Amino acid sequence: MKSLQRLLPSTWQGTGREARWRRSRGRRVLAGLLGGCAVLAVVGAVRPADPPSYPVTVAAHDLTAGQRLGPSDVRQVRWSVADKVPGLLSSAAATGKVLTAPIRAGEPVTSARVRAARSWPALPKGRVVIGVSSSDRALVRVLQPGDRVDLIDTARARTVATAVSVVSVPAGSAQDAEEHPTLSATDAASVLVAVTPTQAAAVGSAVSARSGGLGGGIQLALRAGA
């Protein structure tokens, strides 16, 4: 016993009243700790296991329609398998997509609420995309994304935009131009081009003049070597 007492603090050793009291209190504290550990072990053994869950990608904060999702816009949480959500996207699959509807923070990101980002080549800074209708279906048939065209206001006989990029020729317009090359100007085919806001306003003015019965409109001219 004395050899064991040497392992205790000096104030706990000996046969004095205070040393015996300290050892007695220490035994009670140790017994209490051991009892608590036993209780925790029993509770852990009888507590039911956590329900099965799976990862769900949710909005990290409120998101607006038209927003392109970045890594900081989504996060993953665990949901119970009892709460199945159709069309779930992984964080990697959601990143880069564009929202078609607003999502509140914590709501799941699903395929029904996003679309793929436009695959057009990167536009120069400050450019906008507009649709230009052309009755020159022979030209529309040969246009491809990346071509350079001039936009001519036929009513004023002036060029309102020079060497602007064609970003898309909608499939319907190209097909109509191929199948119906003799349709009238009222059935003009559309082409999407990248222009500056000033050029867009000039094109809008020319189109409005034609719609108002003042004649004119926009003529496309394909740049040589485009």
Side-chain angles (χ1 to χ4, degrees), residues 17-50:
R17 180 178 179 181
E18 183 175 355
R20 292 198 305 272
W21 176 81
R22 289 179 183 277
R23 290 196 297 271
S24 176
R25 187 179 65 172
R27 285 193 294 268
R28 289 195 299 270
V29 171
L30 179 60
L33 291 175
L34 292 175
C37 290
V39 171
L40 291 177
V42 172
V43 171
V46 300
R47 187 184 65 180
D50 293 333

Side-chain angles (χ1 to χ4, degrees), residues 27-209:
R27 285 193 294 268
R28 289 195 299 270
V29 171
L30 179 60
L33 291 175
L34 292 175
C37 290
V39 171
L40 291 177
V42 172
V43 171
V46 300
R47 187 184 65 180
D50 293 333
S53 62
Y54 67 108
V56 175
T57 301
V58 300
H61 48 85
D62 290 349
L63 302 171
T64 59
Q67 184 171 344
R68 186 168 184 169
L69 297 177
S72 62
D73 295 322
V74 296
R75 62 187 180 91
Q76 278 204 335
V77 298
R78 305 290 302 186
W79 276 29
S80 169
V81 294
D83 300 324
K84 285 293 186 181
V85 180
L88 284 175
L89 297 176
S90 66
S91 296
T95 300
K97 294 291 193 300
V98 177
L99 287 176
T100 58
I103 298 181
R104 303 284 293 181
E107 286 190 69
V109 180
T110 65
S111 57
R113 292 190 169 188
V114 300
R115 64 165 174 80
R118 302 291 185 188
S119 59
W120 299 333
L123 299 179
K125 185 177 181 180
R127 297 298 177 99
V128 296
V129 176
I130 63 171
V132 178
S133 296
S134 174
S135 58
D136 188 349
R137 292 177 173 270
L139 180 61
V140 173
R141 285 203 301 270
V142 301
L143 283 179
Q144 297 179 5
D147 285 341
R148 299 279 181 170
V149 295
D150 293 347
L151 306 182
I152 304 168
D153 182 347
T154 57
R156 297 180 175 85
R158 67 185 182 92
T159 300
V160 297
T162 302
V164 297
S165 296
V166 174
V167 296
S168 178
V169 181
S173 292
Q175 183 176 353
D176 285 346
E178 186 70 30
E179 297 177 354
H180 308 287
T182 59
L183 290 181
S184 65
T186 57
D187 298 308
S190 295
V191 176
L192 302 183
V193 295
V195 297
T196 66
T198 300
Q199 292 168 338
V203 170
S205 177
V207 172
S208 295

